[in-house]
Structure formats: structure tokens, C-alpha cells
């Protein structure tokens, strides 16, 4: 087997320090892989346990910076490390962020579908718990934002992730 100019074996899978398959290619702000020798944006560390308030603040900063893929990873950490009764909430927020990612990448079908799925998840969580503003999140406003953006995307709108980012505490 040969090797690439970057020293990787041809046909070999990238692995993390624990041996798990993990793509080491740099990524752009929307999480798209770039060539190995390209300059990408810093990746979000995975598996970070944050307080809900830290999660919301970090995700909001990433959304405003036009990096919804990275915000999705922050929400995913909360979904995986938080209490069971909040998993639907954090999963729904992660779906909103990845829906914005796909919309900004020009993936009309995937973007609209994930935005609506995320809106449904946070509406389901709100209906089940009766909580509309956990951690000061504006869940009704976020669901409305997601459904409107899904319609815009399906209508042919071009999406700038930073310009269309939601305000998590008030859209």
C-alpha cells in the first residue's frame, strides 16, 4: 500500500488517539471536509460536559459566527451527557443547528427536513414537560423560526448561516 503526501497510507482510515475511525481532514465553517493540506476552522472538542447555560452560550456564539455544524456538536454533547428527561430537548436543538447547516450548504431537502424534525422535537418536549423557556431558551420562537426557514429554503432562498442564525433566547 502506498502513502499520500501527508504521510497517510493510501486506503487507510483516519483514526483518533483511541483507534476509533475519525476523519482527520480539516473542515470549513459548515463542517464540510477540506483537502488534508487546507487550513480549516478549529473543530469542536467532543464529549465535553457543560452546564446547560454554558451549552446555550457556546452554541449561540457558534451560530452567530456562522458555524451551525459546530453548534450542533455542542448540543450533541448536552444530549449525550445530560439527564434522560432532557435528551429530546437537546436532540431537537442539535437537529435545528444541523438543519441550518444543510440549508446553508444548499441541501434543500435535508435542511428543511431537519429543521422541521428539530421543531417537532422541541415542541414535543415542551408539550410533555410544560416548560417553554428552559434555561431561558425561547422554544416556541425557535420552532417558529425553524418552520419559517424550512419554507424559505424550499422556496429557493439562499441561506447565509450567520445571517439566518436564530437567537436561542429570543428569535
Amino acid at each position: 500500500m502506498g502513502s499520500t503526501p501527508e504521510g497517510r497510507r493510501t486506503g487507510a482510515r483516519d483514526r483518533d488517539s483511541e483507534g476509533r475511525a475519525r476523519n482527520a481532514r480539516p473542515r470549513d465553517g459548515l463542517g464540510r471536509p477540506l483537502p488534508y493540506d487546507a487550513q480549516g476552522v478549529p473543530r469542536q472538542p467532543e464529549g465535553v460536559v457543560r452546564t446547560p447555560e454554558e451549552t446555550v452560550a457556546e452554541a449561540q456564539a457558534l451560530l452567530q459566527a456562522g458555524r451551525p455544524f459546530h453548534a450542533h456538536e455542542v448540543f450533541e454533547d448536552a444530549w449525550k451527557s445530560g439527564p434522560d428527561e432532557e435528551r429530546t430537548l437537546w436532540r431537537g436543538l442539535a437537529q435545528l443547528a444541523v438543519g441550518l447547516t444543510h440549508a446553508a450548504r444548499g441541501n434543500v431537502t435535508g435542511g428543511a427536513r431537519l429543521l422541521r424534525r428539530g421543531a417537532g422535537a422541541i415542541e414535543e418536549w415542551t408539550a410533555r414537560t410544560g416548560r417553554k423557556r428552559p434555561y431561558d431558551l425561547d422554544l416556541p420562537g425557535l420552532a417558529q423560526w425553524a418552520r419559517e426557514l424550512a419554507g424559505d429554503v424550499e422556496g429557493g432562498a439562499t441561506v447565509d448561516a450567520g445571517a439566518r442564525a436564530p437567537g436561542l433566547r429570543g428569535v
Side-chain angles (χ1 to χ4, degrees):
M1 206 180 274
S3 65
T4 68
E6 296 82 25
R8 288 183 39 241
R9 287 186 330 205
T10 305
R13 293 186 73 181
D14 295 330
R15 302 267 175 201
D16 65 14
S17 61
E18 296 174 10
R20 290 186 306 255
R22 177 117 27 224
N23 191 319
R25 288 171 60 183
R27 303 275 176 162
D28 72 5
L30 292 174
R32 292 177 289 219
L34 299 169
Y36 280 98
D37 59 346
Q39 182 69 27
V41 300
R43 294 179 104 156
Q44 282 303 118
E46 293 183 40
V48 177
V49 177
R50 301 170 186 87
T51 67
E53 292 78 10
E54 290 169 335
T55 295
V56 172
E58 187 163 347
Q60 184 66 71
L62 290 164
L63 288 166
Q64 289 173 321
R67 295 175 59 195
F69 178 80
H70 299 83
H72 138 267
E73 291 182 338
V74 171
F75 286 133
E76 192 172 274
D77 284 341
W79 159 22
K80 291 178 178 178
S81 68
D84 286 345
E85 62 272 8
E86 291 185 0
R87 285 192 174 186
T88 301
L89 168 65
W90 298 114
R91 185 185 73 232
L93 292 168
Q95 289 170 330
L96 294 182
V98 82
L100 176 57
T101 300
H102 282 282
R105 289 176 176 176
N107 177 351
V108 173
T109 302
R113 183 175 293 143
L114 283 161
L115 287 162
R116 287 193 178 100
R117 188 178 301 154
I122 62 175
E123 288 169 336
E124 172 193 323
W125 188 85
T126 298
R128 187 169 31 84
T129 65
R131 295 173 63 194
K132 293 181 181 180
R133 293 199 64 95
Y135 312 113
D136 204 29
L137 290 162
D138 179 11
L139 298 184
L142 287 167
Q144 180 180 345
W145 164 85
R147 292 185 192 290
E148 288 174 5
L149 182 56
D152 291 349
V153 168
E154 289 173 329
T158 300
V159 175
D160 176 301
R164 293 300 299 263
L168 297 174
R169 292 190 163 123
V171 184

